[in-house]
Amino acid sequence: MQELHPEYRQLKIPVPKEFESIFTYFYYAENSSPDPVTKTLLPSYQTIMLFCFGENAFMTTQEKNTIEVNQCIVLGPVRQAFDYTLPAGTSILVANFKDDAFYRFFGKAIVTANGTHPNEILHDNCFTELWHQISVFPSPEEKTNHVLEFCRPYLQNQDEIIRLLNQFEDPGLNPIKAIASQTNQSERTIQLKHKTQFGYSSKELIRYNRFLKAITIIEKELIHQKKIEWFSIIDECGYYDQSQLIRDFKHFINLSPSRYLKFQDDICRSGSA
């Protein structure tokens, strides 16, 4: 099957092991065609930092608000899908902060719905200078490596409660209750720390991870050209019924599951693997 945009290039760039607790990976997209290209970016529940090279890129939210991206912007945590448009000759590099990493860099976890230039968070012009530095590197890998080295001095130590939450793996237990009991603190204290440093609640994350598991299963079945077994997905992901699955799809990406399949070629994922 012929690609809809053969001159549109995208790739995911892994990070060195020492940065794996900070970033999932970097996402790069480049439009070498003579026309603008619009794609949909899936929600990641991560805060992202996006660098734009060439003409200004545009992002459109589900509420039809349009955000113009000049040089650099931070958004997040990205709770719902949004469309982004790359004009001809434009490229973007997206850093996906993992878990509490954005808080460890910037001292806050939530930015405005319309995005914020990172200079405004730090009250410093350093990210404008960073954009000029990475603009001269020809490859996305070189750009990524330079961003990693730039970020290294900003990283603060991880809070012990957050470390315990990150390492919690028992799906049968409520992580907030379990960590509260383990540390002899109130559930409210753990909830507030989770919200403050992650930018979202534990309940929100559970719902998103269920949706993400469904998306991952669908992607694997599409790769192997298998028929999508919706009721098997409902059962495996812990949905009560088909209507709950549909509600999650419409909540996160404003598409029904069947329409998600139809528009697969125009949907990208920059965040969680």
Side-chain angles (χ1 to χ4, degrees):
M1 183 174 67
Q2 186 178 9
E3 293 185 50
L4 293 177
H5 305 293
E7 294 172 295
Y8 180 87
R9 175 192 178 204
Q10 58 183 343
L11 70 153
K12 295 173 181 177
I13 306 167
V15 299
K17 190 172 183 62
E18 64 176 308
F19 288 99
E20 287 180 351
S21 66
I22 311 302
F23 302 99
T24 49
Y25 47 75
F26 280 61
Y27 172 79
Y28 179 79
E30 179 180 27
N31 178 19
S32 299
S33 73
D35 302 305
V37 172
T38 297
K39 297 279 187 177
T40 298
L41 196 70
L42 287 179
S44 63
Y45 263 75
Q46 297 171 351
T47 299
I48 65 174
M49 182 163 57
L50 185 152
F51 297 93
C52 181
F53 309 97
E55 300 294 325
N56 290 353
F58 293 89
M59 297 183 294
T60 304
T61 67
Q62 291 188 17
E63 292 75 26
K64 304 304 179 184
N65 296 322
T66 299
I67 305 164
E68 187 172 2
V69 183
N70 175 21
Q71 293 187 349
C72 186
I73 195 172
V74 290
L75 293 163
V78 181
R79 290 175 165 86
Q80 293 181 310
F82 62 83
D83 293 339
Y84 67 92
T85 300
L86 299 188
T90 296
S91 62
I92 56 173
L93 180 69
V94 183
N96 299 280
F97 288 92
K98 186 175 181 179
D99 300 326
D100 65 322
F102 190 82
Y103 180 89
R104 292 168 63 189
F105 274 112
F106 292 98
K108 62 190 301 184
I110 302 175
V111 295
T112 65
N114 290 330
T116 304
H117 196 291
N119 285 351
E120 297 178 20
I121 302 175
L122 294 178
H123 305 292
D124 193 300
N125 202 40
C126 56
F127 277 88
T128 297
E129 178 60 27
L130 175 62
W131 180 88
H132 284 289
Q133 291 172 4
I134 62 178
S135 294
V136 302
F137 291 108
S139 74
E141 291 82 5
E142 289 174 294
K143 286 178 166 61
T144 296
N145 289 336
H146 193 79
V147 172
L148 292 175
E149 290 303 314
F150 172 86
C151 289
R152 190 190 297 274
Y154 288 93
L155 184 61
Q156 303 298 312
N157 291 331
Q158 188 175 55
D159 183 275
E160 178 63 16
I161 299 298
I162 299 300
R163 185 187 67 79
L164 292 172
L165 286 168
N166 278 337
Q167 294 178 350
F168 192 83
E169 295 181 346
D170 191 335
L173 295 177
N174 181 316
I176 299 297
K177 288 184 178 180
I179 300 303
S181 175
Q182 181 179 343
T183 59
N184 294 316
Q185 298 189 50
S186 70
E187 291 182 30
R188 181 61 175 164
T189 298
I190 306 301
Q191 287 173 342
L192 287 174
K193 184 157 287 190
H194 191 292
K195 181 76 172 181
T196 300
Q197 298 200 26
F198 285 87
Y200 45 80
S201 69
S202 176
K203 185 176 180 180
E204 286 182 89
L205 183 61
I206 290 171
R207 182 182 184 183
Y208 168 71
N209 283 336
R210 182 179 60 191
F211 164 76
L212 182 61
K213 184 176 181 179
I215 289 288
T216 302
I217 294 171
I218 292 168
E219 289 177 348
K220 289 180 179 178
E221 294 190 352
L222 288 174
I223 289 174
H224 294 95
Q225 298 182 333
K226 293 181 179 179
K227 180 182 176 182
I228 305 299
E229 301 292 345
W230 293 112
F231 287 102
S232 176
I233 292 173
I234 289 168
D235 181 63
E236 187 172 346
C237 297
Y239 284 102
Y240 292 120
D241 52 29
Q242 188 173 8
S243 63
Q244 190 184 28
L245 173 72
I246 293 171
R247 281 198 299 272
D248 269 11
F249 267 74
K250 289 187 175 179
H251 172 76
F252 288 114
I253 61 177
N254 202 30
L255 293 171
S256 67
S258 58
R259 287 182 66 80
Y260 169 74
L261 295 181
K262 183 177 180 180
F263 292 103
Q264 266 286 301
D265 287 339
D266 289 325
I267 295 177
C268 310
R269 196 200 301 182
S270 79
S272 301

